[in-house]
Amino acid sequence: MRVFALMSAPYTIIIGLEVHVQLLTESKMFCGCSTKFGQSPNTQTCPVCIGMPGSLPVMNRRAFELAMKAAVALNCEIPKFTKWDRKNYYYPDLPKGYQISQFDLPMSRDGWLEISNEDSNSSKKRIRILRAHLEEDAGKSMHDEVAGKADSRIDLNRAGTPLLEIVSQPDLRSPAEAKAYLTELKLLLNYLGVSDCNMQEGSLRVDANINLHVDTPKGVVATPIVEVKNMNSFRAVERAMTFEVDRQWREWQETGHRLGDVPKSTRGWDEGSQTTHEQRSKEESSDYRYFPDPDLVPVTVTEAEVEQVRASLGELPAALRVRLEQTYGITPYDSDVLVNQGRALVDYYTELADACGDGKVASNWVQQDVLRWLGERQLGVQQYPVQPNVLAELIGKVRSGAFETSRGREVLGVMVDGGQSLAKAIAALGIQAVDDTALVALCQELLDANPKIVAEVREGKPKGVGALIGQAKKANPNVNANRVRELCLEMIAKIGK
Ligand code: ZN
Ligand code: MN
């Protein structure tokens, strides 16, 4: 469907994303203040982060290490030499009058992140990363947050928090692809332990640059680039991009021939009206009067340090998906579901799969039972009451025919909701194996009571056996459906002789 839409629309969507993530450090980028979220305003500040004259910044080593981790995992080059620059602008939440950032010599550049191609589940698409650099966050302006007061307040607790700014090339071709990129990036940073990427708390923020390349008889014409801000969820990013595509296409159709001289602009996403509105025309980087920060020494990075970081990355989502597929024989869809839940769930799954010896069966139980239960309660797998080895034992009983999958689900339900052991849950449900003698007697009763079905089966229409199984289960929920089927068919065949 999307392919058709792309072919019918005479334009290509061009999206590039700038993502700011807060790094998981205890202290700020250039001072020792705590980065803890949610503390009373202006309680986590010092002369350095509130910009007192004469105070001197010192780089947080841990922040640089985390940034390197992310950059290496994003396949970036790590230059041997990197420096700090002042980005000068005035805003009430920036008391220094400049942000310490990196301009022409960022700590990393030229990487890529692979995402699933939305048109085909099996193929991958590489989104190139232009650069990732370190900088400090500004404070927070709170407007009219106290009822009845039309004032603004400044909280500088966040000022100086380490940020990694990850800038993609304009390689994204649809709003859905933008969302897929963000989802994969967040997952990667979570696995690395570099950032918690919590959008509600502002530890991941997205700005999007978007325009259209329109096919015209005179060649391709680009609509002016719009930077969209103020998107508070990945879904909001997708919706804002969809809105901008429509808006820019409408604008181009109305005034296309004049768009050549329109400068870049910044628009804000409004969640209430689900629209973007113009904020200001976009400043150029020269407007910021970048210059090297004279208070900070440049950083040199050795090859050995980069290799050390590379060795510390651990298994990353892309490799993990492949390993799960190869080791446990599950589909790319299933490995994606499991890996996207995070490392703890994957560990639970692999323990279960190893213990029960069947990766596909283990994947079904995790997805249909464990994840559903956790999802309904908004809990993590650490809170799941049944350990993988115990669940494996339960699955083993189902596989050996002690009882069926549906009964196994009931057993698990008693275990997780009633806190029962496996044996007690089985006893509580009155599950006991039905021996063959009892089964034969039951089947004989059913055959005697259903001469019509017996006649049909003898005419070569075995479908009716399903009804017999249903009746058998009603009579005794512990019977094994497969065994009932076998016995019924055997016994009917004997009548024939
Ligand atoms: Zn400070
Ligand atoms: Mn930035």
Side-chain angles (χ1 to χ4, degrees):
M1 212 168 113
R2 203 189 68 87
V3 174
F4 174 76
L6 261 185
M7 275 160 46
S8 62
Y11 57 76
T12 307
I13 301 166
I14 310 290
I15 300 173
L17 297 179
E18 286 175 24
V19 176
H20 286 85
V21 291
Q22 277 182 9
L23 301 178
L24 277 174
T25 55
E26 302 274 317
S27 57
K28 294 185 180 180
M29 188 70 233
F30 300 108
C31 64
C33 293
S34 168
T35 55
K36 197 158 175 238
F37 180 80
Q39 302 305 107
S40 304
N42 301 307
T43 55
Q44 296 171 162
T45 57
C46 74
V48 174
C49 57
I50 63 174
M52 289 294 180
S55 63
L56 286 172
V58 177
M59 184 189 80
N60 180 340
R61 275 261 143 214
R62 181 72 189 138
F64 199 88
E65 282 164 22
L66 290 177
M68 286 233 283
K69 248 183 152 173
V72 172
L74 287 167
N75 307 290
C76 287
E77 279 171 37
I78 313 289
K80 302 272 169 291
F81 181 89
T82 181
K83 69 174 172 69
W84 305 99
D85 300 283
R86 291 186 179 182
K87 178 179 181 179
N88 299 282
Y89 67 93
Y90 170 79
Y91 206 75
D93 63 20
L94 187 74
K96 288 206 298 275
Y98 62 88
Q99 176 193 31
I100 304 177
S101 181
Q102 301 197 284
F103 182 49
D104 53 337
L105 296 173
M107 51 83 54
S108 73
R109 57 171 184 249
D110 296 329
W112 48 266
L113 176 66
E114 209 162 59
I115 62 170
S116 294
N117 195 321
E118 67 162 307
D119 291 327
S120 107
N121 235 340
S122 53
S123 75
K124 302 277 178 193
K125 176 174 174 178
R126 272 187 191 183
I127 306 303
R128 290 170 302 155
I129 308 288
L130 175 66
R131 59 187 278 164
H133 69 253
L134 265 167
E135 59 188 31
E136 58 176 348
D137 209 344
K140 213 157 69 179
S141 304
M142 296 167 292
H143 305 293
D144 304 337
E145 281 187 2
V146 182
K149 286 195 178 175
D151 59 359
S152 289
R153 294 153 183 239
I154 307 290
D155 176 7
L156 294 174
N157 282 354
R158 204 179 67 182
T161 297
L163 294 179
L164 185 66
E165 179 176 333
I166 302 162
V167 185
S168 86
Q169 294 275 12
D171 287 349
L172 299 156
R173 291 291 169 269
S174 70
E177 237 175 52
K179 189 177 169 210
Y181 167 84
L182 290 170
T183 306
E184 188 66 12
L185 181 62
K186 176 181 171 174
L187 188 70
L188 178 69
L189 297 173
N190 280 155
Y191 266 79
L192 289 168
V194 158
S195 173
D196 61 20
C197 297
N198 185 334
M199 272 186 116
Q200 269 77 46
E201 294 182 3
S203 56
L204 184 151
R205 305 195 283 274
V206 184
D207 300 330
N209 285 290
I210 176 167
N211 71 335
L212 305 178
H213 284 181
V214 184
D215 295 323
T216 74
K218 291 179 194 158
V220 174
V221 181
T223 62
I225 295 173
V226 171
E227 181 174 356
V228 183
K229 291 181 173 290
N230 199 32
M231 299 168 289
N232 291 320
S233 67
F234 290 175
R235 217 164 58 157
V237 172
E238 194 177 15
R239 288 191 180 152
M241 294 299 95
T242 305
F243 177 85
E244 269 303 302
V245 170
D246 291 343
R247 191 193 64 77
Q248 291 185 22
W249 176 232
R250 243 183 298 119
E251 191 177 76
W252 191 87
Q253 285 173 301
E254 285 158 16
T255 63
H257 55 287
R258 280 184 274 120
L259 281 180
D261 3 42
V262 179
K264 274 186 172 187
S265 62
T266 300
R267 301 178 72 89
W269 172 245
D270 180 45
E271 194 63 48
S273 64
Q274 299 277 299
T275 57
T276 64
H277 53 266
E278 175 131 27
Q279 291 183 324
R280 57 191 153 94
S281 55
K282 176 96 182 94
E283 50 292 295
E284 300 293 324
S285 78
S286 58
D287 296 330
Y288 287 114
R289 298 296 188 271
Y290 280 96
F291 66 88
D293 193 306
D295 289 341
L296 281 159
V297 282
V299 184
T300 51
V301 181
T302 66
E303 192 59 42
E305 282 168 330
V306 175
E307 286 317 309
Q308 208 180 331
V309 167
R310 200 183 304 281
S312 77
L313 293 182
E315 198 173 22
L316 300 179
L320 191 50
R321 290 188 186 101
V322 172
R323 179 165 74 84
L324 294 188
E325 287 156 32
Q326 290 176 350
T327 310
Y328 299 104
I330 57 176
T331 63
Y333 173 84
D334 289 332
S335 74
D336 203 46
V337 170
L338 297 172
V339 170
N340 289 0
Q341 296 291 326
R343 184 77 220 195
L345 191 275
V346 171
D347 290 342
Y348 186 97
Y349 165 74
T350 54
E351 248 182 81
L352 176 65
D354 289 337
C356 82
D358 188 326
K360 285 182 201 169
V361 170
S363 163
N364 289 342
W365 280 83
V366 167
Q367 289 186 53
Q368 286 169 37
D369 298 276
V370 179
L371 283 182
R372 182 184 299 163
W373 192 89
L374 292 171
E376 282 166 0
R377 287 157 187 80
Q378 299 278 305
L379 294 174
V381 70
Q382 292 88 345
Q383 276 96 45
Y384 195 66
V386 174
Q387 293 309 302
N389 59 324
V390 178
L391 180 51
E393 209 182 311
L394 167 58
I395 295 173
K397 286 194 184 294
V398 173
R399 282 154 63 81
S400 70
F403 44 82
E404 297 185 300
T405 306
S406 57
R407 293 237 83 188
R409 295 231 145 87
E410 292 173 35
V411 172
L412 186 57
V414 173
M415 291 168 79
V416 292
D417 294 323
Q420 302 282 348
S421 70
L422 177 55
K424 281 200 176 137
I426 291 172
L429 287 168
I431 296 177
Q432 37 186 283
V434 184
D435 67 25
D436 250 23
T437 324
L439 263 191
V440 169
L442 177 61
C443 289
Q444 191 58 56
E445 270 174 48
L446 292 172
L447 296 187
D448 292 345
N450 295 283
K452 231 180 111 189
I453 293 178
V454 173
E456 278 173 16
V457 175
R458 292 184 65 188
E459 282 160 26
K461 286 184 262 174
K463 254 181 109 180
V465 177
L468 297 178
I469 295 170
Q471 289 183 34
K473 296 191 83 168
K474 222 179 241 171
N476 183 348
N478 293 322
V479 299
N480 179 301
N482 284 333
R483 188 66 190 135
V484 170
R485 180 191 309 277
E486 271 170 25
L487 282 173
C488 284
L489 289 174
E490 262 173 43
M491 289 160 76
I492 292 170
K494 273 183 197 153
I495 300 171
K497 279 173 193 162

